[in-house]
């Protein structure tokens, strides 16, 4: 029995048996309280409701369950199998008159950074199939925002109708490389646009969802290498391309100077010849046959590039009748210090040529003081000229 209060305000004494006894008094059964009532969850858009442990219902005859807070629906998140990340807005223009493809990158929306939390992004463009470094262009880096606005135009020179029919433009939104120099980081998202549907000289705007970088299983023949991952990134897999590059030449027969002006303007998509994946290109010119001292010329060397710009002009004197019977050999080389230069590709213009090469040569000699510019694909083997 519970003892009564002693004199002097002493608390009543309770035995251990009575303290541990189960209350089996008659009356309605009270619901068992949950531990979550004492430690309520906090939701971002609702105020937490505290339930003190001593709170009891006023009427004993009413059975009432403990209030359960209803959480607000969580914001949507990308699951592991989701592929849609964000959107990229850009515009493509195929300038057929100048043989150029312009890609204007506007903005990206809804970017989700990786575990590093970086929001410093740029856009990298590649033309496929083709050499990765030769066709790679990139925008500047926009820092500190998930909604970057670039408004920057990337231009591919030497882009022809044949390229539009068979090539695809790949755009990747990437993290800034200086944040993680020691290991490669997959892009935040990528997309590919077939260029065959482009209408020449008409701009077309796009707003396309980006996709995650997919992983493709590595062939079994490569699995035996120790330490090699069983998976490889599919986006880096590219079809081998046999093109060795192109050169933009300008021809003009000057009636005042009495000779042919040959301009070497630029080259694009050259084959890499050095171990770093680039080349140090320069161009050689040779007019055959020519008894004069100035039958051979060469441009200056452009260091570590696969898309050099020269803008150099050379002069061959002689009447049009004699030039019509000669051959102009243009070859692109990779400069190597102390060793022989590597041949990248060449093109032959003249009466022995065919197709656009022959047409370019004849139209130049047939129209005096009229400059004609044309892109020519490079041949992989040097031309052997007979005496």
């Amino acid at each position: 029995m519970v003892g009564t209060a002693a004199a002097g305000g002493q608390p009543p004494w309770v035995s251990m048996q009575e303290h541990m006894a189960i209350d089996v008094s008659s009356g309605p059964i009270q619901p068992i309280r949950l531990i979550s009532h004492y430690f309520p969850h906090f939701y971002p858009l609702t105020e937490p409701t505290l339930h003190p442990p001593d709170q009891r219902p006023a009427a004993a005859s009413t059975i009432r369950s403990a209030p359960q807070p209803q959480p607000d629906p969580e914001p949507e998140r990308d699951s592991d199998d989701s592929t849609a990340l964000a959107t990229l807005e850009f515009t493509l223009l195929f300038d057929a008159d100048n043989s150029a493809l312009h890609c204007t990158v506007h903005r990206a929306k809804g970017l989700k950074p990786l575990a590093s939390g970086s929001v410093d992004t740029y856009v990298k463009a590649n033309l496929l199939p083709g050499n990765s470094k030769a066709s790679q262009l990139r925008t500047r880096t926009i820092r500190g925002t998930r909604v970057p606005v670039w408004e920057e135009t990337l231009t591919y020179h030497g882009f022809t109708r044949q390229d539009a029919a068979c090539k695809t433009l790949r755009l990747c939104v990437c993290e800034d490389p200086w944040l993680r120099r020691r290991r490669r980081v997959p892009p935040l998202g990528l997309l590919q646009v077939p260029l065959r549907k482009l209408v020449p000289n008409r701009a077309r705007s796009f707003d396309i969802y980006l996709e995650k970088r997919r992983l493709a299983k590595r062939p079994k023949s490569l699995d035996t290498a120790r330490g090699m991952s069983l998976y490889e990134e599919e986006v880096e897999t590219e079809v081998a391309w046999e093109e060795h590059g192109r050169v933009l030449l300008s021809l003009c027969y000057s009636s005042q100077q009495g000779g042919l002006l040959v301009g070497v303007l630029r080259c694009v998509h050259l084959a890499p010849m050095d171990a770093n994946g680039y080349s140090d290109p320069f161009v050689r010119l040779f007019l055959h046959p020519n008894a004069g001292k100035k039958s051979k010329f060469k441009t200056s060397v452009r260091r570590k590039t696969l898309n050099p710009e020269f803008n150099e002009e050379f002069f061959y004197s002689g009447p049009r009748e004699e030039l019509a019977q000669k051959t102009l050999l243009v070859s692109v080389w990779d400069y190597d210090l102390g060793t022989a230069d590597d041949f990248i590709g060449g093109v032959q213009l003249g009466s022995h040529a065919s197709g656009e090469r022959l047409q370019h040569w004849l139209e130049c000699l047939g129209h005096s003081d009229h400059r004609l510019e044309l892109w020519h694909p490079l041949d992989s083997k040097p031309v052997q000229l007979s005496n």
Side-chain angles (χ1 to χ4, degrees), residues 129-135 158 163 167 239-248 266-273 277-279 281-283 305-308 310 330-334 342-347 357 375-382:
N131 181 272
S132 177
K133 290 187 177 181
S135 64
D163 294 330
K167 290 198 174 184
V239 180
W241 193 244
E242 297 181 355
E243 183 178 352
H244 288 258
R246 299 178 183 179
V247 59
L248 178 59
R266 67 192 316 153
C267 297
V268 295
H269 304 165
L270 296 179
M273 306 301 293
Y278 294 94
S279 296
F282 67 97
V283 179
T305 178
L306 300 178
N307 301 282
F310 299 100
V330 182
S331 56
V332 184
W333 298 77
D334 171 48
D342 299 323
F343 177 79
I344 299 178
V347 58
R357 302 177 180 182
W375 287 94
H376 296 282
L378 299 177
D379 298 329
S380 59
K381 297 181 180 180

Side-chain angles (χ1 to χ4, degrees), residues 88 122-126 170-174 187 189-191 235:
L88 181 65
Y122 66 96
V123 176
K124 179 176 64 176
N126 286 93
R170 184 181 69 195
L171 298 176
C172 300
V173 181
C174 306
L190 59 91
L191 59 88
V235 73

